[in-house]
PDB file of all heavy atoms in Angstrom:
ATOM      1  N   MET A 325      -5.734   2.089 -20.084  1.00 98.00           N
ATOM      2  CA  MET A 325      -6.293   2.622 -21.336  1.00 98.00           C
ATOM      3  C   MET A 325      -5.532   2.073 -22.547  1.00 98.00           C
ATOM      4  O   MET A 325      -6.096   1.823 -23.598  1.00 98.00           O
ATOM      5  CB  MET A 325      -6.261   4.157 -21.340  1.00 98.00           C
ATOM      6  CG  MET A 325      -7.294   4.816 -20.466  1.00 98.00           C
ATOM      7  SD  MET A 325      -9.017   4.544 -21.006  1.00 98.00           S
ATOM      8  CE  MET A 325      -9.094   5.563 -22.483  1.00 98.00           C
ATOM      9  N   ASP A 326      -4.226   1.885 -22.365  1.00 97.00           N
ATOM     10  CA  ASP A 326      -3.379   1.446 -23.473  1.00 97.00           C
ATOM     11  C   ASP A 326      -3.313  -0.080 -23.600  1.00 97.00           C
ATOM     12  O   ASP A 326      -3.214  -0.594 -24.710  1.00 97.00           O
ATOM     13  CB  ASP A 326      -1.967   1.999 -23.270  1.00 97.00           C
ATOM     14  CG  ASP A 326      -1.120   1.905 -24.528  1.00 97.00           C
ATOM     15  OD1 ASP A 326      -1.526   2.484 -25.554  1.00 97.00           O
ATOM     16  OD2 ASP A 326      -0.070   1.232 -24.504  1.00 97.00           O
ATOM     17  N   SER A 327      -3.380  -0.791 -22.460  1.00 96.00           N
ATOM     18  CA  SER A 327      -3.028  -2.221 -22.471  1.00 96.00           C
ATOM     19  C   SER A 327      -4.088  -3.189 -22.002  1.00 96.00           C
ATOM     20  O   SER A 327      -3.903  -4.394 -22.134  1.00 96.00           O
ATOM     21  CB  SER A 327      -1.776  -2.433 -21.594  1.00 96.00           C
ATOM     22  OG  SER A 327      -0.719  -1.638 -22.025  1.00 96.00           O
ATOM     23  N   TYR A 328      -5.169  -2.695 -21.400  1.00 97.00           N
ATOM     24  CA  TYR A 328      -6.165  -3.635 -20.864  1.00 97.00           C
ATOM     25  C   TYR A 328      -7.479  -3.523 -21.621  1.00 97.00           C
ATOM     26  O   TYR A 328      -8.005  -2.422 -21.830  1.00 97.00           O
ATOM     27  CB  TYR A 328      -6.414  -3.393 -19.385  1.00 97.00           C
ATOM     28  CG  TYR A 328      -7.440  -4.360 -18.799  1.00 97.00           C
ATOM     29  CD1 TYR A 328      -7.131  -5.712 -18.661  1.00 97.00           C
ATOM     30  CD2 TYR A 328      -8.727  -3.928 -18.431  1.00 97.00           C
ATOM     31  CE1 TYR A 328      -8.066  -6.619 -18.164  1.00 97.00           C
ATOM     32  CE2 TYR A 328      -9.664  -4.832 -17.935  1.00 97.00           C
ATOM     33  CZ  TYR A 328      -9.332  -6.169 -17.794  1.00 97.00           C
ATOM     34  OH  TYR A 328     -10.246  -7.061 -17.317  1.00 97.00           O
ATOM     35  N   SER A 329      -8.017  -4.664 -22.006  1.00 97.00           N
ATOM     36  CA  SER A 329      -9.349  -4.711 -22.603  1.00 97.00           C
ATOM     37  C   SER A 329      -9.980  -6.015 -22.151  1.00 97.00           C
ATOM     38  O   SER A 329      -9.699  -7.073 -22.697  1.00 97.00           O
ATOM     39  CB  SER A 329      -9.248  -4.650 -24.133  1.00 97.00           C
ATOM     40  OG  SER A 329     -10.532  -4.728 -24.701  1.00 97.00           O
ATOM     41  N   GLY A 330     -10.813  -5.940 -21.105  1.00 97.00           N
ATOM     42  CA  GLY A 330     -11.409  -7.159 -20.589  1.00 97.00           C
ATOM     43  C   GLY A 330     -12.714  -6.870 -19.873  1.00 97.00           C
ATOM     44  O   GLY A 330     -13.030  -5.733 -19.542  1.00 97.00           O
ATOM     45  N   LEU A 331     -13.451  -7.928 -19.625  1.00 98.00           N
ATOM     46  CA  LEU A 331     -14.764  -7.800 -18.996  1.00 98.00           C
ATOM     47  C   LEU A 331     -14.664  -7.471 -17.518  1.00 98.00           C
ATOM     48  O   LEU A 331     -15.441  -6.668 -16.996  1.00 98.00           O
ATOM     49  CB  LEU A 331     -15.539  -9.123 -19.190  1.00 98.00           C
ATOM     50  CG  LEU A 331     -17.004  -9.127 -18.766  1.00 98.00           C
ATOM     51  CD1 LEU A 331     -17.851  -8.217 -19.635  1.00 98.00           C
ATOM     52  CD2 LEU A 331     -17.553 -10.564 -18.806  1.00 98.00           C
ATOM     53  N   GLU A 332     -13.697  -8.087 -16.830  1.00 98.00           N
ATOM     54  CA  GLU A 332     -13.621  -7.924 -15.380  1.00 98.00           C
ATOM     55  C   GLU A 332     -12.986  -6.586 -14.997  1.00 98.00           C
ATOM     56  O   GLU A 332     -12.081  -6.110 -15.673  1.00 98.00           O
ATOM     57  CB  GLU A 332     -12.791  -9.069 -14.764  1.00 98.00           C
ATOM     58  CG  GLU A 332     -12.875  -9.115 -13.243  1.00 98.00           C
ATOM     59  CD  GLU A 332     -12.147 -10.307 -12.641  1.00 98.00           C
ATOM     60  OE1 GLU A 332     -10.992 -10.570 -13.036  1.00 98.00           O
ATOM     61  OE2 GLU A 332     -12.710 -10.955 -11.751  1.00 98.00           O
ATOM     62  N   HIS A 333     -13.499  -5.995 -13.918  1.00 98.00           N
ATOM     63  CA  HIS A 333     -12.866  -4.782 -13.372  1.00 98.00           C
ATOM     64  C   HIS A 333     -11.480  -5.164 -12.828  1.00 98.00           C
ATOM     65  O   HIS A 333     -11.189  -6.343 -12.577  1.00 98.00           O
ATOM     66  CB  HIS A 333     -13.739  -4.157 -12.289  1.00 98.00           C
ATOM     67  CG  HIS A 333     -13.928  -5.047 -11.096  1.00 98.00           C
ATOM     68  ND1 HIS A 333     -14.819  -6.091 -11.079  1.00 98.00           N
ATOM     69  CD2 HIS A 333     -13.319  -5.050  -9.882  1.00 98.00           C
ATOM     70  CE1 HIS A 333     -14.763  -6.684  -9.906  1.00 98.00           C
ATOM     71  NE2 HIS A 333     -13.858  -6.087  -9.156  1.00 98.00           N
ATOM     72  N   VAL A 334     -10.628  -4.150 -12.660  1.00 98.00           N
ATOM     73  CA  VAL A 334      -9.248  -4.381 -12.227  1.00 98.00           C
ATOM     74  C   VAL A 334      -8.941  -3.554 -10.982  1.00 98.00           C
ATOM     75  O   VAL A 334      -9.173  -2.334 -10.967  1.00 98.00           O
ATOM     76  CB  VAL A 334      -8.249  -4.018 -13.345  1.00 98.00           C
ATOM     77  CG1 VAL A 334      -6.810  -4.268 -12.903  1.00 98.00           C
ATOM     78  CG2 VAL A 334      -8.548  -4.829 -14.618  1.00 98.00           C
ATOM     79  N   ASN A 335      -8.422  -4.203  -9.945  1.00 98.00           N
ATOM     80  CA  ASN A 335      -7.982  -3.493  -8.742  1.00 98.00           C
ATOM     81  C   ASN A 335      -6.708  -2.710  -9.033  1.00 98.00           C
ATOM     82  O   ASN A 335      -5.793  -3.217  -9.704  1.00 98.00           O
ATOM     83  CB  ASN A 335      -7.689  -4.476  -7.603  1.00 98.00           C
ATOM     84  CG  ASN A 335      -8.954  -5.073  -7.000  1.00 98.00           C
ATOM     85  OD1 ASN A 335     -10.034  -4.558  -7.189  1.00 98.00           O
ATOM     86  ND2 ASN A 335      -8.798  -6.164  -6.268  1.00 98.00           N
ATOM     87  N   VAL A 336      -6.654  -1.479  -8.500  1.00 98.00           N
ATOM     88  CA  VAL A 336      -5.428  -0.670  -8.626  1.00 98.00           C
ATOM     89  C   VAL A 336      -4.983  -0.265  -7.231  1.00 98.00           C
ATOM     90  O   VAL A 336      -5.551   0.664  -6.618  1.00 98.00           O
ATOM     91  CB  VAL A 336      -5.679   0.595  -9.492  1.00 98.00           C
ATOM     92  CG1 VAL A 336      -4.347   1.301  -9.777  1.00 98.00           C
ATOM     93  CG2 VAL A 336      -6.390   0.247 -10.796  1.00 98.00           C
ATOM     94  N   GLY A 337      -4.002  -0.981  -6.713  1.00 97.00           N
ATOM     95  CA  GLY A 337      -3.514  -0.702  -5.352  1.00 97.00           C
ATOM     96  C   GLY A 337      -2.010  -0.667  -5.301  1.00 97.00           C
ATOM     97  O   GLY A 337      -1.315  -0.936  -6.282  1.00 97.00           O
ATOM     98  N   SER A 338      -1.488  -0.349  -4.129  1.00 96.00           N
ATOM     99  CA  SER A 338      -0.036  -0.314  -3.943  1.00 96.00           C
ATOM    100  C   SER A 338       0.504  -1.691  -3.561  1.00 96.00           C
ATOM    101  O   SER A 338       1.687  -1.979  -3.759  1.00 96.00           O
ATOM    102  CB  SER A 338       0.319   0.694  -2.822  1.00 96.00           C
ATOM    103  OG  SER A 338      -0.180   0.229  -1.585  1.00 96.00           O
ATOM    104  N   GLY A 339      -0.375  -2.538  -2.978  1.00 94.00           N
ATOM    105  CA  GLY A 339       0.064  -3.845  -2.514  1.00 94.00           C
ATOM    106  C   GLY A 339       0.891  -3.786  -1.238  1.00 94.00           C
ATOM    107  O   GLY A 339       1.374  -4.812  -0.766  1.00 94.00           O
ATOM    108  N   LYS A 340       1.031  -2.573  -0.678  1.00 95.00           N
ATOM    109  CA  LYS A 340       1.838  -2.406   0.545  1.00 95.00           C
ATOM    110  C   LYS A 340       0.930  -1.971   1.694  1.00 95.00           C
ATOM    111  O   LYS A 340       0.170  -1.017   1.558  1.00 95.00           O
ATOM    112  CB  LYS A 340       2.940  -1.362   0.318  1.00 95.00           C
ATOM    113  CG  LYS A 340       3.984  -1.814  -0.688  1.00 95.00           C
ATOM    114  CD  LYS A 340       5.104  -0.788  -0.776  1.00 95.00           C
ATOM    115  CE  LYS A 340       6.258  -1.302  -1.623  1.00 95.00           C
ATOM    116  NZ  LYS A 340       5.903  -1.447  -3.029  1.00 95.00           N
ATOM    117  N   GLU A 341       1.056  -2.665   2.816  1.00 96.00           N
ATOM    118  CA  GLU A 341       0.247  -2.332   3.981  1.00 96.00           C
ATOM    119  C   GLU A 341       1.077  -1.529   4.982  1.00 96.00           C
ATOM    120  O   GLU A 341       2.280  -1.707   5.105  1.00 96.00           O
ATOM    121  CB  GLU A 341      -0.224  -3.609   4.679  1.00 96.00           C
ATOM    122  CG  GLU A 341      -1.254  -4.373   3.906  1.00 96.00           C
ATOM    123  CD  GLU A 341      -1.683  -5.620   4.664  1.00 96.00           C
ATOM    124  OE1 GLU A 341      -0.901  -6.567   4.707  1.00 96.00           O
ATOM    125  OE2 GLU A 341      -2.792  -5.624   5.209  1.00 96.00           O
ATOM    126  N   VAL A 342       0.380  -0.667   5.698  1.00 97.00           N
ATOM    127  CA  VAL A 342       1.013   0.127   6.762  1.00 97.00           C
ATOM    128  C   VAL A 342       0.015   0.207   7.917  1.00 97.00           C
ATOM    129  O   VAL A 342      -1.188   0.331   7.685  1.00 97.00           O
ATOM    130  CB  VAL A 342       1.431   1.520   6.239  1.00 97.00           C
ATOM    131  CG1 VAL A 342       0.223   2.310   5.755  1.00 97.00           C
ATOM    132  CG2 VAL A 342       2.187   2.315   7.284  1.00 97.00           C
TER     133      VAL A 342
END
Side-chain angles (χ1 to χ4, degrees):
M325 285 294 288
D326 195 59
S327 303
Y328 181 69
S329 179
L331 187 67
E332 191 176 46
H333 63 281
V334 180
N335 287 343
V336 188
S338 66
K340 294 185 172 67
E341 289 180 287
V342 61

